[in-house]
Amino acid sequence: AQSVTQLDSQVPVFEEAPVELRCNYSSSVSVYLFWYVQYPNQGLQLLLKYLSGSTLVKGINGFEAEFNKSQTSFHLRKPSVHISDTAEYFCAVTRPSGNTPLVFGKGTRLSVIA
Amino acid sequence: GAGVSQSPSNKVTEKGKDVELRCDPISGHTALYWYRQRLGQGLEFLIYFQGNSAPDKSGLPSDRFSAERTGESVSTLTIQRTQQEDSAVYLCASSPLAGYYNEQFFGPGTRLTVL
C-alpha cells in the first residue's frame, strides 16, 4: 500500500522569501506524484505532476518539485512567494497502472505574510 | 466554462437521517470521483465512475454509503443512517480521461455536519 507524509501542517513565510513544502511517500513499486493546491473558497487544482522523465518538474505559478527516488521525496519549492500563494497544498501518489486511487497527504497550509 | 458544481454547499442533519449529495461534473468529462475530507485529514477516496464501466467502490467505508451516476452526467452520493463520524467535507472531481493519474478537476465540496 502507498502512503504520503507531508511533514509540515503549517508553513508561515514572508512575502518574496523562498519556500519548500515537504512530501515523502512510501511505495514498493513505481509511482506517479502530484501536488494539488486549494486556494481559499475554491476547489483543488493541479499544480504539477511527475509521471516520468526529468526529475525536476515545473508547474503553474512559478512552483517546481523534484522527484528523488532514493529519498522517496517530492518536495515543492518556489524561490519567491506572493501573498496570492496563501493556500493549502496537497501531495498525492498513485501507481502508473492507472487503476489505483490517488492517496493524498494531510495537506500543508502555506501562509504568506506581508 | 463551468467547473464542477456540488450541492448543497452545506448540510446539517441529525444522526440517523439519510442525506443525498449531488455533483455536476464538467460537461464531457467521462470520469467522476468522490472523496471525503475529515478535519485535519487528507482526502480519502470513496468511489470512481468511468463511463459505462463498473464503478470502483473500493473506498466506500461501509454499506451505508452508496453512489450513482447515469452515463456521463450528474452523480449522487447517498449516506444512510448518518453517524457523527460521517461529518466531513465531501468533494467531487471529474476528468476528461480515464485513469487516476489524469488531472482531476474538483468542485467546492459539500460540508456535512451530523449532530
Side-chain angles (χ1 to χ4, degrees), chain B residues 14-84:
Chain B
E14 294 179 347
K15 179 181 173 181
K17 301 278 190 181
D18 297 352
V19 295
E20 194 171 275
L21 312 179
R22 178 187 170 107
C23 172
D24 283 272
I26 294 172
S27 178
H29 279 199
T30 184
L32 187 146
Y33 309 79
W34 282 98
Y35 295 90
R36 176 173 70 177
Q37 185 179 22
R38 291 170 163 164
L39 190 64
Q41 303 297 313
L43 281 71
E44 300 172 71
F45 166 75
L46 296 177
I47 189 167
Y48 164 51
F49 294 92
Q50 171 51 38
N52 294 319
S53 301
D56 178 358
K57 303 181 181 179
S58 61
L60 294 178
S62 76
D63 58 7
R64 295 187 296 105
F65 288 73
S66 63
E68 292 184 350
R69 186 184 188 199
T70 304
E72 296 187 353
S73 63
V74 66
S75 176
T76 55
L77 176 69
T78 301
I79 309 173
Q80 296 179 309
R81 306 182 301 282
T82 52
Q83 304 294 313
Q84 289 183 332

Side-chain angles (χ1 to χ4, degrees), chain A residues 32 34 36 43-44 46 49 90 94-102 104-106, chain B residues 35 37 40-43 45 56 58 91 99-108:
Chain A
Y32 287 167
F34 306 78
Y36 276 83
L44 278 78
L46 182 65
K49 63 183 177 182
F90 294 91
T94 187
R95 295 183 185 179
S97 62
N99 57 12
T100 305
L102 287 179
F104 284 84
K106 293 183 179 181
Chain B
Y35 295 90
Q37 185 179 22
Q41 303 297 313
L43 281 71
F45 166 75
D56 178 358
S58 61
L91 296 168
Y100 290 96
Y101 50 68
N102 288 297
E103 181 175 3
Q104 296 179 27
F105 297 80
F106 283 80

